[in-house]
Amino acid sequence: MTNPAHDLFLDGLRNAHAMEKQALSIMQPQLNRLEHYPEVSALLDRHIRETEGQLARIDQLLDGMGESASGLKDTMLSLSGSMAAMTHTLATDEILKNSMANFAFEHFEIAAYMSLITAAELSGQTAAIPVLQQNLDEEKAMAAAIEASLPHVVRQYVALSGSGERADI
């Protein structure tokens, strides 16, 4: 007999692991391409390090349950993240598309961690909640930072475009 709450929690952990792998495959190419937006570079660099910590915490939770991440999910979401990052490189307003996509992705991660915390409660995995809350708090902080920086990014894009300089990255 299976325990639906436990199954949901375990699947959610594996999904969160793959989601964070996807986030890295989205952010790293952006960081490597940025030229004119040092604030965005610093933000991405910081969040890449946070994301690596989030992955390590998820791995610890999975290890504590005698489980591991899903290699297939990790690979598939990393690939889709790389494809999304590559698609935006074709846009003349790449920085704007990336900023909007990053903002949306952070909110997806927030929803995922909120759901995962509920699944942890329902499955009796209460020791996992502070770890998941730390990941959630980092995602909320990143979403807020992107929101705060977006008007500046748009202004800088317009100013660079108006001066004839390359504004997309």
Side-chain angles (χ1 to χ4, degrees), residues 7 20 36 38 48 55-56 59-60 64 74 108 115 123 125-126 130 132 158 162 164-165 167-168:
D7 294 346
E20 296 303 353
H36 299 293
I48 286 169
L55 277 166
D59 279 333
Q60 289 173 347
D74 284 359
F108 176 81
S115 298
S123 65
Q125 298 287 332
T126 56
L132 298 171
V158 169
E165 287 189 60
D168 61 333

Side-chain angles (χ1 to χ4, degrees), residues 59-129:
D59 279 333
Q60 289 173 347
L61 291 174
L62 286 165
D63 287 346
M65 297 174 68
E67 300 288 345
S68 62
S70 168
L72 179 61
K73 285 181 182 183
D74 284 359
T75 300
M76 294 307 293
L77 286 183
S78 288
L79 180 60
S80 72
S82 295
M83 294 302 293
M86 187 170 49
T87 302
H88 287 176
T89 64
L90 303 173
T92 57
D93 59 349
E94 178 181 353
I95 184 66
L96 300 180
K97 295 227 179 349
N98 285 342
S99 295
M100 290 181 271
N102 291 345
F103 185 68
F105 194 80
E106 289 305 317
H107 282 84
F108 176 81
E109 290 179 301
I110 289 166
Y113 281 115
M114 290 172 63
S115 298
L116 194 50
I117 288 169
T118 301
E121 291 169 353
L122 292 171
S123 65
Q125 298 287 332
T126 56
I129 294 172

